[in-house]
Amino acid sequence: MPETTKLHPKQPVAAALASRAAVRPALRQGGAFALGLAGGWAVLYGALLPFGLGLTLGLPADCFAACAAGAALSILFHGFGAFSLDSLCLLCAVGAAVAARWLWPGRLRPAFLAGCGTLVLGGVCFALGPGGAGFTLVFFCGADALLAGGFGYALQRFPPEKPGFGTLLATSAVAAALGGLRFGPLCLGAAACAMVDAALCCRGQEKPALAFAAFTGAALCAADPSLAPAAVGLCCGTAAAVLLAPGRRAETLAACAGGCVLGVLCVPASGTALPLLLSAGLGLAAPAFFPKHWLTPVPEAPAPPEEPPRLSAAATRLEAVAESLSSLAETVNAVYDAFPRRCDTFRWVIDNTHDSLCFNCGRRETCWKQEYTATLEGMNALRPILEQQGHLQASDLPGQLSRCIHPAALCAAANRSFALYRSRKEAHVHAEAMRTALTEQYSAMADALSVLSEQLGRPGNPEPYKSGRVAAFFASLGTPPLECAVTLDDLGRARAAVTLPRTRFSSPELAALAQETGRICRRDFDPPQVLSCKGMTTLLFCEKPALRAVFGTAGTAAKGTVSGDAVQQFCSPAAAQMILCDGMGTGRPAAVDGSLAAELTARLLKAGFTAELAARLVNVALALKSDEESGATLDLISVDLYTGTARIFKAGAAPGFLVHGGHARPVGDISLPIGILGGVNGQSRVVHLAAGDYAVLVSDGLLVDGPGWVAKQLELSAAAGDPPEKVARILVETARARAEQTGRPDDITAAVLRLEPCGH
């Protein structure tokens, strides 16, 4: 038997999983037993019984024995006690398959050879023995063995727990079993299939409904050829519901009913039409009484890949995409540099005024040839007037242009030309900004994909033994994992990733899972991160770090209650992140820029972007946010909670402070905020922190009297062991009092992080 990990009920945390560990396996065993009953009872083409053996060969290791018991019971009592040689051969084959799976766990070939071989050999022995049954028994046993082997292999390849082909195979066995059961005029198979198919159509699951209709219709026909009209009606009704009214209950049921009527018209004998119509009608009427939330339309999730993705191939593909984006940005810049620049100067205004007015004037020869120098001086004298006032009047004309016989028309033409000139310059600046933003975004995304490709290319050193034990532990809870991998990273830290069919866990259950998984891997795990996508749930376990971060923040606005400073503080699975953004100016416009920069930076960091890449993308977002000038400082510190390594990134931010060993020192140099230039002029540095150290980020309003008093106050607070919230509040209150004395109010914010031992 495969090794399984048992829960320890004496452990208080593991008690949260006791109910799940007891109920889920029992439900799986009961479901497997019921499926075995149906598979053993189903008869195909009047003589074949392949489902019982096929289910025994194909179901997972934790429930095949219960399925075999149900199949044996159905085979034994099939025909209400009429025991045949074929049934005896099937019982021997099921027993041989169970014995082989117990003796060689995890090896499928011995089970297939034992089950199918025993069935064929039993048929041959009975056929050749005294009073032999003849070739017919050998033929039926061989057909059963062939179908059972194919059925079992398909279930091994496509587990029935995972929605898809395996689920349809198990459903077809149940449909075939119900197809042979009748209660008076009612056919249970036709009624059950119509009910389930109508429910799927009402939920808007078009592809599952069509697949279900096709598989169950074929199973009904194989179980009883007289049910072929019912199968035709089922398929026609499903197709009509999917095409005409997907996800709408009343219209769906009407379309299904129309398909069933069409199937009844195919009945050759009128005596069988009414029972089939009655069975289908009862099945279609049942969903009308279901609770409303059972039939709520759900979006169809795409089928997951048949095989686990190959990390090396994915990494190579991501690297290729990154190179394509990078080359795209370089190509755009190269083409832009290759084209000649269009240099519009004020001479364009003069030429356009001449072409629109003076070209058709009778004094053109005099003004623009005989007195060209004086005319050109007069036109150039219009430039400061137009740039200052934006328009020109006849009284503003200089003396060189006083001889013009159309002064009003000259002013109007000059005004139009200058407006076009200014519009062309603004369009050129806007196009330049858009090109810079586009190429910067392409380049930043290329760098981000390159980093992700590097991470995927180094998935870690696998631990197959521990992976198997963790998988067995989850299987013992009744949730066999679809994928399970325990790996070690470059620093020797263990990580476990377990992918399950979509499952919900409570907080105590997650804590218990972390404790049990950590005990198996001999590591101390934090509660896992839960990711749900496409009908699957992935649990990511990481080792508990050596340090933990305690945050504190305080702030006050320069005027009113709206501050332009924004703070984000959070912990990712491996690092503590603290962000402070100061919008340019004060009030609501500054608050919008600061909050936008902080929120976008936090999202990008949580997605795995580095500080430099996040700053580049946020820079583009601020530059394109509106036509008004937008800018914000970016102050960021990221602390690795395993090693204490801190990475500081500043773009236009005020100096921060580090308190290490009781001594405070400022960190940070002068740089420009983000959102102003096409690129980011940021600075980063790496420092090392230990338990008890502080990291402090402040806005420029707090440094109204310089950084000296801040460093002294931090040393006093560190010596007293003040919590971060208190440290931030003292700094802000003191800075506020100093600002009121100097008469220079500004938004004041302090964000404090202190490292503590993880068990503290």
Side-chain angles (χ1 to χ4, degrees):
M1 292 290 291
E3 179 183 3
T4 58
T5 303
K6 301 298 183 181
L7 290 174
H8 298 276
K10 294 183 180 180
Q11 298 178 3
V13 181
L17 295 175
S19 60
R20 184 183 293 270
V23 174
R24 293 294 291 270
L27 291 177
R28 284 178 59 84
Q29 297 280 348
F33 181 78
L35 189 59
L37 284 175
W41 189 265
V43 180
L44 301 183
Y45 307 110
L48 301 179
L49 293 91
F51 288 120
L53 179 58
L55 290 169
T56 303
L57 294 173
L59 288 186
D62 63 327
C63 54
F64 75 89
C67 177
L73 190 63
S74 288
I75 294 172
L76 189 61
F77 293 101
H78 196 276
F80 301 99
F83 197 67
S84 63
L85 294 178
D86 193 11
S87 300
L88 182 59
C89 293
L90 282 171
L91 285 175
C92 295
V94 170
V98 171
R101 294 198 65 174
W102 273 341
L103 292 175
W104 294 282
R107 299 178 60 185
L108 302 179
R109 185 174 298 177
F112 277 81
L113 292 177
C116 298
T118 300
L119 181 57
V120 174
L121 289 177
V124 172
C125 291
F126 283 117
L128 299 179
F135 179 75
T136 304
L137 180 60
V138 178
F139 175 78
F140 285 143
C141 289
D144 279 332
L146 185 62
L147 291 176
F151 192 79
Y153 175 77
L155 288 180
Q156 286 285 345
R157 184 75 182 276
F158 306 98
E161 298 91 347
K162 192 175 181 180
F165 187 64
T167 305
L168 292 173
L169 289 177
T171 305
S172 64
V174 177
L178 294 177
L181 296 178
R182 295 178 182 269
F183 288 94
L186 179 63
C187 176
L188 291 182
C193 292
M195 178 185 67
V196 176
D197 216 6
L200 290 175
C201 292
C202 290
R203 289 172 59 86
Q205 296 177 287
E206 295 92 348
K207 292 181 180 179
L210 290 172
F212 178 85
F215 272 75
T216 54
L220 290 176
C221 292
D224 188 352
S226 65
L227 296 178
V232 172
L234 183 66
C235 294
C236 293
T238 303
V242 167
L243 293 175
L244 301 178
R248 300 192 296 272
R249 182 186 298 191
E251 294 89 335
T252 294
L253 296 179
C256 291
C260 293
V261 172
L262 179 63
V264 170
L265 296 178
C266 301
V267 177
S270 59
T272 59
L274 184 59
L276 292 180
L277 189 61
L278 175 63
S279 301
L282 290 177
L284 294 177
F289 301 97
F290 287 174
K292 188 174 182 180
H293 65 275
W294 286 13
L295 303 179
T296 302
V298 294
E300 182 183 354
E306 296 182 359
E307 297 181 357
R310 298 179 180 177
L311 295 180
S312 58
T316 304
R317 180 59 180 161
L318 280 178
E319 185 65 30
V321 174
E323 292 179 358
S324 299
L325 289 176
S326 179
S327 64
L328 180 60
E330 294 173 357
T331 302
V332 171
N333 286 328
V335 172
Y336 175 78
D337 294 336
F339 276 99
R341 301 289 192 276
R342 185 184 66 186
C343 299
D344 289 338
T345 62
F346 191 76
R347 183 57 188 260
W348 183 89
V349 178
I350 298 174
D351 293 340
N352 192 67
T353 303
H354 167 269
D355 294 341
S356 61
L357 178 66
C358 301
F359 186 80
N360 297 320
C361 180
R363 291 181 55 83
R364 175 173 175 269
E365 294 291 329
T366 302
C367 295
W368 289 99
K369 290 187 177 181
Q370 299 176 9
E371 301 178 0
Y372 174 78
T373 303
T375 302
L376 188 61
E377 290 178 356
M379 296 297 289
N380 284 323
L382 298 178
R383 179 173 184 174
I385 301 174
L386 288 171
E387 290 179 348
Q388 181 178 4
Q389 299 180 2
H391 63 280
L392 188 67
Q393 297 180 358
S395 59
D396 297 328
L397 294 176
Q400 296 92 330
L401 302 180
S402 60
R403 62 182 179 277
C404 180
I405 61 176
H406 304 292
L410 176 62
C411 292
N415 289 336
R416 288 194 301 270
S417 299
F418 185 75
L420 286 174
Y421 164 72
R422 188 162 53 185
S423 176
R424 286 163 64 94
K425 288 192 67 175
E426 291 176 354
H428 176 71
V429 171
H430 181 70
E432 176 71 15
M434 290 295 294
R435 181 192 62 81
T436 303
L438 178 66
T439 54
E440 177 69 10
Q441 193 167 21
Y442 279 152
S443 179
M445 288 302 300
D447 292 342
L449 290 177
S450 180
V451 171
L452 183 58
S453 170
E454 182 181 357
Q455 293 175 353
L456 286 178
R458 296 184 288 104
N461 299 320
E463 294 279 330
Y465 174 71
K466 293 180 180 178
S467 300
R469 293 196 63 197
V470 172
F473 162 65
F474 277 90
S476 70
L477 299 179
T479 54
L482 304 177
E483 292 180 5
C484 181
V486 178
T487 58
L488 296 177
D489 63 10
D490 296 338
L491 299 178
R493 297 188 295 240
R495 297 182 180 180
V498 182
T499 301
L500 310 166
R502 183 177 287 271
T503 310
R504 292 184 179 180
F505 295 96
S506 63
S507 296
E509 289 177 337
L510 291 175
L513 288 174
Q515 179 174 339
E516 291 295 325
T517 305
R519 186 182 62 81
I520 294 171
C521 299
R522 298 184 180 181
R523 301 297 177 101
D524 195 6
F525 282 147
D526 267 336
Q529 182 183 4
V530 182
L531 304 176
S532 296
C533 181
K534 297 181 180 180
M536 294 180 290
T537 298
T538 300
L539 304 179
L540 301 178
F541 297 88
C542 296
E543 281 192 54
K544 285 186 177 180
L547 302 170
R548 73 182 185 96
V550 181
F551 297 106
T553 183
T556 181
K559 298 178 182 178
T561 59
V562 179
S563 173
D565 302 337
V567 177
Q568 291 279 342
Q569 297 171 319
F570 57 92
C571 284
S572 62
Q577 313 279 1
M578 187 164 65
I579 305 167
L580 173 59
C581 293
D582 183 0
M584 295 179 61
T586 59
R588 293 188 180 277
V592 171
D593 293 341
S595 299
L596 178 63
E599 178 66 23
L600 292 180
T601 304
R603 291 185 183 180
L604 293 171
L605 290 177
K606 291 177 182 178
F609 285 71
T610 62
E612 290 80 1
L613 293 176
R616 292 171 64 182
L617 292 173
V618 174
N619 180 68
V620 175
L622 289 178
L624 301 180
K625 177 179 69 70
S626 65
D627 294 335
E628 302 294 333
E629 183 178 359
S630 300
T633 66
L634 175 59
D635 204 355
L636 164 66
I637 182 169
S638 177
V639 183
D640 189 325
L641 297 178
Y642 291 98
T643 62
T645 302
R647 187 176 185 87
I648 302 172
F649 181 85
K650 289 181 176 291
F657 296 86
L658 296 177
V659 183
H660 179 66
H663 300 285
R665 61 185 178 94
V667 290
D669 299 321
I670 299 175
S671 58
L672 292 177
I674 57 176
I676 297 178
L677 302 178
V680 177
N681 183 22
Q683 298 176 351
S684 62
R685 65 172 60 188
V686 177
V687 297
H688 294 279
L689 302 177
D693 291 348
Y694 290 80
V696 182
L697 304 180
V698 299
S699 61
D700 56 353
L702 191 138
L703 302 178
V704 62
D705 284 341
W709 72 271
V710 180
K712 293 180 180 179
Q713 179 60 50
L714 288 175
E715 290 179 354
L716 292 175
S717 298
D722 292 338
E725 195 73 29
K726 182 178 179 181
V727 175
R729 186 176 67 254
I730 292 175
L731 291 177
V732 170
E733 291 175 353
T734 306
R736 186 65 174 174
R738 289 172 175 264
E740 290 176 353
Q741 293 176 0
T742 59
R744 293 178 293 173
D746 194 1
D747 296 331
I748 300 174
T749 302
V752 183
L753 177 153
R754 184 175 71 182
L755 295 179
E756 296 180 354
C758 193
H760 190 268

